[in-house]
Amino acid sequence: MKKWILIIVGVIVIGIIGIGIKINSDLDDLVEALNSEHSLNEPNLIILSDSISPNEKYKFYEYQFDKGGLGYSRNFWSVIKANETDLGKGLISEGYKIIDWNENNELILKEWNPTSELKTVSKLKNGTEINGIKINITE
């Protein structure tokens, strides 16, 4: 009888260890997804919209990240040179979103509060340059 109890306990322990290894592996994938780079090469990147400047030198992107079982991240906006992939270079400050281009190859931004918990918002001014592009703030 003791032999059967030891076998059952052994099987349970091996099962628990296997489940632990699987959970650890899944958590590594989740951490990687949550710490995604702002890059066009990121596999969890979902581009919602993009638009090239009138002079075709720059492009802006509206995007978010797929966080797996946790859903999607908030929306981000970035402006980069048309041939670049590093969205982090032209990331727009929290509290603003890109609306469109104007005829002078300037970005039109609008104040935007993605959540009611936004405490720190960088104050941008008309004429400020982000990654070489002038911005205009609209109401």
Side-chain angles (χ1 to χ4, degrees):
M1 186 68 169
K2 288 182 181 181
K3 195 178 207 182
W4 285 107
I5 292 174
L6 288 174
I7 292 172
I8 292 171
V9 169
V11 168
I12 291 172
V13 168
I14 291 171
I16 290 172
I17 291 171
I19 291 171
I21 291 170
K22 174 68 173 141
I23 289 172
N24 187 35
S25 172
D26 289 346
L27 286 176
D28 288 343
D29 293 342
L30 179 62
V31 167
E32 186 177 325
L34 292 175
N35 295 326
S36 297
E37 285 184 39
H38 290 261
S39 170
L40 292 175
N41 300 325
E42 172 60 42
N44 297 321
L45 179 78
I46 299 170
I47 296 176
L48 302 172
S49 67
D50 59 32
S51 177
I52 195 152
S53 64
N55 67 4
E56 298 184 358
K57 291 184 180 180
Y58 291 89
K59 198 169 190 180
F60 78 74
Y61 296 89
E62 178 183 1
Y63 61 95
Q64 60 187 188
F65 296 100
D66 182 352
K67 294 183 175 182
L70 297 176
Y72 298 97
S73 70
R74 73 168 184 88
N75 289 11
F76 294 92
W77 287 266
S78 181
V79 60
I80 58 175
K81 290 182 180 177
N83 60 352
E84 290 183 344
T85 60
D86 183 5
L87 293 167
K89 285 183 179 181
L91 194 60
I92 302 299
S93 299
E94 274 191 69
Y96 294 90
K97 67 178 182 175
I98 297 175
I99 302 299
D100 207 353
W101 298 99
N102 69 15
E103 63 280 350
N104 297 325
N105 296 302
E106 298 172 338
L107 279 176
I108 302 168
L109 271 58
K110 183 177 182 178
E111 285 192 38
W112 177 68
N113 187 356
T115 68
S116 59
E117 299 172 9
L118 186 62
K119 303 276 189 269
T120 57
V121 176
S122 302
K123 288 295 179 188
L124 297 176
K125 297 179 182 176
N126 284 330
T128 301
E129 284 195 15
I130 298 175
N131 202 21
I133 296 292
K134 280 189 180 180
I135 62 164
N136 288 311
I137 312 293
T138 186
E139 296 298 318

